[in-house]
Amino acid sequence: EAQVTQNPRYLITVTGKKLTVTCSQNMNHEYMSWYRQDPGLGLRQIYYSMNVEVTDKGDVPEGYKVSRKEKRNFPLILESPSPNQTSLYFCASSFIDRDKLFFGSGTQLSVL
Amino acid sequence: GQQLNQNPQSMFIQEGEDVSMNCTSSSIFNTWLWYKQDPGEGPVLLIALYKAGELTSNGRLTAQFGITRKDSFLNISASIPSDVGIYFCAGPVSGAGSYQLTFGKGTKLSVIP
């Protein structure tokens, strides 16, 4: 089944404890992206990648890192999480036409 | 980044009623996309529009690409309870070697049985 898989689905952590949210897609998509969703703010792009070893900042990249060593994986790294990074995170991917994004089911992160 | 303004922010309707929502921008878009997010899930693409004036349907959903290329509209006819969710418009912003998909803040739809 074609899908974007994020893990974990839920995560509670404490301020400053490094964490990684994994994202994997099995559709051979070149383009991958991370979004965060907050009430009243909609979906805001954190980082995106147009291909392996190519990453770019989105609208809200501060406090986040990403890597794209393989085409299928695009992990999101929070080196030192803070409470303002409590949010619902979505990974998404698409083919080269890039507009038909497929989203994962989301990761609800709480930073205490 | 470029902003997309969606209206209304939320709406409560009776089952069976028709729904209209819109998305506007101060900039021109060459593509308009409409996504739906079911509660607890990621957004799913409903309709993609590529040409000014284009009218495209997907079942009870109809979307239009505004003539000015600065707006788009989504209509849902004869709403049912499973139409509940958040509807997002989106548009691509591309430049030299870069690409981003910008989303509106969403219209949250509640359907009263």
Side-chain angles (χ1 to χ4, degrees):
Chain A
E1 181 189 352
Q3 59 185 359
V4 178
T5 304
Q6 293 178 231
N7 279 297
R9 188 75 189 263
Y10 302 94
L11 179 59
I12 301 174
T13 189
V14 295
T15 299
K17 187 175 181 182
K18 181 179 178 179
L19 66 91
T20 299
V21 184
T22 64
C23 174
S24 180
Q25 50 92 5
N26 62 0
M27 295 169 279
N28 202 34
H29 287 164
E30 296 90 359
Y31 184 85
M32 297 187 74
S33 181
W34 277 102
Y35 290 85
R36 62 177 287 175
Q37 183 177 19
D38 302 288
L41 297 178
L43 291 162
R44 294 181 294 168
Q45 192 172 42
I46 303 170
Y47 269 95
Y48 64 97
S49 169
M50 293 172 69
N51 216 324
V52 176
E53 301 292 1
V54 179
T55 63
D56 279 294
K57 295 178 181 179
D59 294 321
V60 288
E62 293 77 21
Y64 304 95
K65 284 175 58 178
V66 292
S67 68
R68 187 91 182 273
K69 294 186 173 66
E70 306 165 285
K71 196 172 188 178
R72 63 182 293 127
N73 296 322
F74 191 46
L76 180 68
I77 303 156
L78 284 72
E79 295 270 3
S80 183
S82 61
N84 64 13
Q85 292 179 297
T86 292
S87 185
L88 178 59
Y89 291 86
F90 287 102
C91 180
S93 71
S94 72
F95 281 121
I96 202 65
D97 60 8
R98 300 169 196 155
D99 50 2
K100 298 187 177 101
L101 276 178
F102 290 83
F103 282 82
S105 296
T107 295
Q108 180 64 59
L109 172 65
S110 296
V111 182
L112 306 177
Chain B
Q2 298 187 24
Q3 288 196 332
L4 296 178
N5 301 307
Q6 284 191 249
N7 283 293
Q9 288 184 324
S10 64
M11 51 195 317
F12 290 81
I13 61 167
Q14 291 279 354
E15 182 177 356
E17 288 184 349
D18 295 343
V19 176
S20 291
M21 60 187 78
N22 67 71
C23 186
T24 61
S25 171
S26 58
S27 304
I28 287 173
F29 280 85
N30 294 317
T31 300
W32 284 98
L33 308 165
W34 285 94
Y35 284 81
K36 183 196 177 193
Q37 182 181 24
D38 287 326
E41 298 296 329
V44 174
L45 182 66
L46 296 174
I47 293 177
L49 302 160
Y50 299 103
K51 189 176 174 183
E54 179 181 354
L55 194 70
T56 298
S57 293
N58 178 2
R60 292 177 296 104
L61 277 63
T62 301
Q64 184 165 22
F65 193 137
I67 294 290
T68 65
R69 293 164 63 193
K70 292 183 177 182
D71 54 13
S72 180
F73 309 89
L74 178 68
N75 296 310
I76 305 172
S77 62
S79 59
I80 58 178
S82 63
D83 290 334
V84 164
I86 303 176
Y87 292 80
F88 292 101
C89 63
V93 179
S94 59
S98 70
Y99 179 87
Q100 290 180 257
L101 195 60
T102 297
F103 284 81
K105 294 181 180 179
T107 292
K108 186 173 183 179
L109 178 64
S110 300
V111 179
I112 304 166

